[in-house]
Amino acid sequence: MSRSQQGNDSKSGVSYSVDGVMETSMNASRDLEFAIEWNRFILRIVGIWPDEESSKSTRRELKFSFILATFVLFSFFCLPQIISLVMVWGNLDLMIENLLTANVGIASLLELIIAWYNGKVLKLLLTHVIEDWMMPKSEQERQMMLKNARIARTLCIGCLFLIQATLITFITARIIVIQNQVVENSTNFTRELICQSYFPYDTRNSPNFELTCFGQCLACFYITISYCGIDTFITMLVLHVCAQFTNLRYGLKNLVEMGSKNRMEFRKKLAIIVVKHERLNRFAESMEESFNHMFLIQILSSTIQFCSQGYQVFAVLNSKEGQFSLYQLIFLIVFVTCILSQLFIYCYAGEKLNVESSLVGYAAYECEWYNLSVPEARDLMFVMMRAREPLQITAGKFCSFSFSLFCDILKTSLGYLSVLLTIKKQSEE
């Protein structure tokens, strides 16, 4: 088959020829499945995955899994912990212990609701991703998309296992603490729940205690799924856009060579690049406009969480209880690692989007523009002007995600931590 020939393969699906590279629709479907399968698996558990078969729907769909997840999160975790926080107000140690878990639960519930509310946007973005994978492309373009897809897939799997390990460590540590209290006070002890919470019924008696603990464990599971699934799905979308920007730069650098036959051919190639560039800009801007409030919640939650965890670590190190402190310290170390990794993912994706989108203008300069006529060279300036302002992922329009923001959040959290430790020291004196 020649380089320009196109045809159908009854065994492997429709085939395309691009730059001498054959690609089948079956291969494209396999690549698409590789890119999104883990995100789809996680988000379907909480009922916010934008299913392709319902993409024509004009209303937001309330799935049973989403209703169940929000009900369990609100009833067994968020509301009881908020009431408990009000009841222990004034006791710094109990307040910090409450915030350590309540903060994550409330943030996860809000992210879940925001993701469901913007379901139409998620459907549109997913449709663009599917179209990009199914379009004919060269092997170089395919490999670049697969490279970023592997990164997104690795982040998704890694975060899922890390956050589930954090959940298991937390529940195990709490069970060990409860058992130790039972052994030490076998005649007079009070049953403690998995999380510090208030319920309008007596949780010390069976089966109230067992059912409440089960509800709290289920709520913790939904927290980990929504917290991990939404973050990694947004990251996958951002990395997909970054791969498209890289391919766009490749086409722009070789634009003069591709369009060297005549002026009409050059303008046709340039028009395709401009349309694709504008499509990618709208993709990123739509994602930013719809989810910047969720990103703000992520930053505030991570700052409070890291500060609370640091306080707990110092409290554990200063504690005179041996075994209890060891288990709690292990959990806090795993918890800190998990929270920082989730925050770093957003900062990494934001930094990469900023760099890749700004490099488009440099790619226009690196092409052989000196071989063009003056009017044709001027046309390239529109692409360069459009790429002057790099795309960003912002937290409520206040700040953009980047490596410098990650360092600023750590410094801010440590500043708050020093204030808490000072207050505790003064209260003890």
Side-chain angles (χ1 to χ4, degrees):
M1 183 177 290
S2 64
R3 295 183 60 178
S4 60
Q5 184 177 357
Q6 299 181 357
N8 294 329
D9 187 345
S10 59
K11 296 181 180 180
S12 57
V14 181
S15 60
Y16 307 95
S17 175
V18 183
D19 294 336
V21 179
M22 297 303 300
E23 182 187 37
T24 65
S25 59
M26 183 175 292
N27 290 336
S29 300
R30 190 184 304 116
D31 293 340
L32 173 64
E33 181 69 15
F34 175 82
I36 68 172
E37 63 176 338
W38 275 93
N39 299 104
R40 181 181 58 208
F41 168 74
I42 296 174
L43 293 184
R44 277 183 174 173
I45 296 177
V46 290
I48 57 174
W49 175 256
D51 292 310
E52 296 87 345
E53 58 269 16
S54 59
S55 60
K56 296 182 180 180
S57 177
T58 58
R59 61 184 181 86
R60 300 182 184 91
E61 297 182 359
L62 273 174
K63 299 180 181 178
F64 174 76
S65 52
F66 172 78
I67 297 174
L68 178 62
T70 52
F71 173 78
V72 172
L73 279 174
F74 182 77
S75 302
F76 285 93
F77 204 92
C78 295
L79 182 60
Q81 294 227 305
I82 292 174
I83 298 175
S84 177
L85 178 62
V86 175
M87 296 177 65
V88 301
W89 194 265
N91 189 323
L92 184 60
D93 291 336
L94 292 179
M95 289 172 58
I96 295 298
E97 182 181 351
N98 183 285
L99 286 174
L100 191 64
T101 53
N103 177 58
V104 180
I106 295 173
S108 298
L109 179 61
L110 292 176
E111 288 187 8
L112 193 63
I113 295 174
I114 292 174
W116 169 81
Y117 181 80
N118 292 284
K120 296 179 181 178
V121 178
L122 289 179
K123 288 180 182 180
L124 179 62
L125 297 178
L126 182 62
T127 301
H128 286 318
V129 172
I130 296 173
E131 290 175 354
D132 290 337
W133 279 106
M134 300 306 294
M135 286 178 59
K137 49 189 169 292
S138 67
E139 183 63 21
Q140 180 177 358
E141 292 174 332
R142 175 177 176 269
Q143 290 301 323
M144 176 53 62
M145 294 174 64
L146 284 176
K147 177 183 177 182
N148 281 21
R150 291 189 191 98
I151 296 175
R153 181 186 175 96
T154 302
L155 290 175
C156 181
I157 297 174
C159 288
L160 177 62
F161 281 96
L162 179 59
I163 202 167
Q164 292 302 320
T166 305
L167 174 61
I168 294 172
T169 306
F170 170 70
I171 294 177
T172 303
R174 288 296 301 165
I175 292 175
I176 292 174
V177 170
I178 294 172
Q179 290 298 322
N180 288 341
Q181 292 177 347
V182 172
V183 172
E184 294 174 1
N185 305 291
S186 57
T187 58
N188 184 23
F189 71 94
T190 302
R191 282 179 164 181
E192 290 191 8
L193 299 173
I194 299 297
C195 301
Q196 180 190 133
S197 305
Y198 171 80
F199 290 91
Y201 53 85
D202 191 356
T203 59
R204 294 171 296 180
N205 301 326
S206 297
N208 293 348
F209 176 76
E210 290 78 10
L211 291 175
T212 304
C213 286
F214 173 77
Q216 287 189 329
C217 291
L218 183 60
C220 290
F221 172 74
Y222 279 127
I223 288 173
T224 58
I225 290 298
S226 59
Y227 203 80
C228 167
I230 297 173
D231 291 350
T232 54
F233 181 61
I234 297 296
T235 303
M236 184 272 291
L237 294 176
V238 174
L239 292 180
H240 176 80
V241 174
C242 292
Q244 295 303 308
F245 272 118
T246 303
N247 291 337
L248 184 69
R249 295 200 334 261
Y250 171 76
L252 198 54
K253 288 180 181 180
N254 297 276
L255 178 63
V256 177
E257 179 183 352
M258 291 189 300
S260 58
K261 295 181 180 180
N262 53 64
R263 177 174 298 182
M264 293 301 297
E265 185 69 16
F266 168 81
R267 292 187 177 275
K268 180 179 178 181
K269 297 292 184 180
L270 181 60
I272 293 175
I273 290 177
V274 169
V275 170
K276 184 176 181 181
H277 188 204
E278 189 60 27
R279 178 174 177 267
L280 294 177
N281 288 331
R282 289 198 303 268
F283 184 103
E285 291 169 358
S286 175
M287 183 167 51
E288 151 68 16
E289 289 293 330
S290 301
F291 298 103
N292 66 83
H293 297 92
M294 188 181 74
F295 301 148
L296 178 62
I297 294 173
Q298 177 75 14
I299 280 191
L300 296 177
S301 173
S302 299
T303 304
I304 297 173
Q305 198 66 30
F306 187 69
C307 178
S308 303
Q309 288 169 341
Y311 180 88
Q312 285 288 86
V313 168
F314 279 99
V316 170
L317 292 177
N318 294 329
S319 176
K320 297 180 180 179
E321 304 177 23
Q323 191 176 16
F324 168 74
S325 299
L326 177 61
Y327 286 118
Q328 193 174 16
L329 181 61
I330 293 174
F331 160 69
L332 289 172
I333 292 175
V334 177
F335 204 1
V336 168
T337 305
C338 180
I339 294 297
L340 290 182
S341 64
Q342 292 292 123
L343 177 61
F344 181 79
I345 285 175
Y346 272 130
C347 294
Y348 165 76
E351 181 80 17
K352 191 173 181 63
L353 178 62
N354 187 298
V355 173
E356 294 293 339
S357 60
S358 61
L359 288 177
V360 173
Y362 293 96
Y365 178 77
E366 292 173 0
C367 75
E368 298 178 1
W369 54 268
Y370 42 82
N371 292 328
L372 298 173
S373 63
V374 174
E376 292 172 344
R378 286 176 179 172
D379 291 340
L380 290 176
M381 295 180 62
F382 291 100
V383 178
M384 300 174 69
M385 293 293 291
R386 185 65 177 88
R388 286 183 62 182
E389 295 185 5
L391 298 174
Q392 297 177 338
I393 301 177
T394 67
K397 304 294 184 179
F398 290 104
C399 55
S400 60
F401 282 94
S402 62
F403 292 144
S404 61
L405 178 64
F406 182 77
C407 297
D408 291 340
I409 292 176
L410 294 184
K411 290 189 292 185
T412 303
S413 300
L414 291 175
Y416 292 151
L417 174 60
S418 65
V419 174
L420 287 177
L421 293 176
T422 302
I423 294 175
K424 179 176 176 60
K425 184 178 180 180
Q426 292 177 351
S427 62
E428 291 176 350
E429 294 176 352

